[in-house]
Amino acid sequence: MEITFTKEAIEKLTDKIPSNKKLKLKYDTDGCGCVVSGVAALWIVDEIEEDDQEVETNFVPVVIEKTKMVFLDENLTISFNETANTFMLTSPSQILNPRMSLIEK
């Protein structure tokens, strides 16, 4: 899996992730009713869990649950939309989440 951050996303995230924390791309299914109806979000977490895998990026390593990687495309881009003041997750073939949250857990 390849994840690329745009310059704007890097600028927005640089001061938000403490050095002792990890950035996690969470495929959140809570309240969605079905695992295939999940929503991608960015979480700032304290540690890596047993099912997590770190993916190197052009910014910081991103943690992703191995069991949820099947719901994500192989090439992903995380950008920042100034107008909506939110992050966006896209792939070459689709927009996975145009208004992706950044949540500190």
Side-chain angles (χ1 to χ4, degrees):
M1 176 172 279
E2 183 178 319
I3 300 173
T4 305
F5 287 85
T6 63
K7 183 181 98 171
E8 295 80 13
I10 291 171
E11 288 172 2
K12 289 292 179 183
L13 286 168
T14 297
D15 296 334
K16 295 185 188 314
I17 307 168
S19 61
N20 62 333
K21 305 252 182 170
K22 299 283 185 181
L23 186 62
K24 183 172 191 169
L25 179 57
K26 174 71 174 170
Y27 186 77
D28 196 1
T29 57
D30 288 347
C32 293
C34 176
V35 105
V36 293
S37 298
V39 177
L42 288 173
W43 286 10
I44 299 171
V45 297
D46 291 325
E47 57 190 43
I48 296 174
E49 296 178 10
E50 187 176 319
D51 186 44
D52 289 343
Q53 177 177 332
E54 261 191 346
V55 176
E56 292 297 322
T57 74
N58 65 324
F59 177 45
V60 296
V62 172
V63 177
I64 302 174
E65 292 167 284
K66 290 178 203 171
T67 56
K68 302 292 175 40
M69 290 176 89
V70 68
F71 300 110
L72 300 170
D73 292 344
E74 186 62 29
N75 294 305
L76 300 170
T77 300
I78 297 173
S79 58
F80 187 79
N81 182 324
E82 290 286 343
T83 306
N85 195 34
T86 189
F87 294 93
M88 185 181 337
L89 181 65
T90 60
S91 73
S93 62
Q94 64 180 325
I95 298 173
L96 291 119
N97 190 347
R99 295 180 184 267
M100 192 165 55
S101 303
L102 177 65
I103 301 165
E104 187 161 357
K105 287 289 185 171

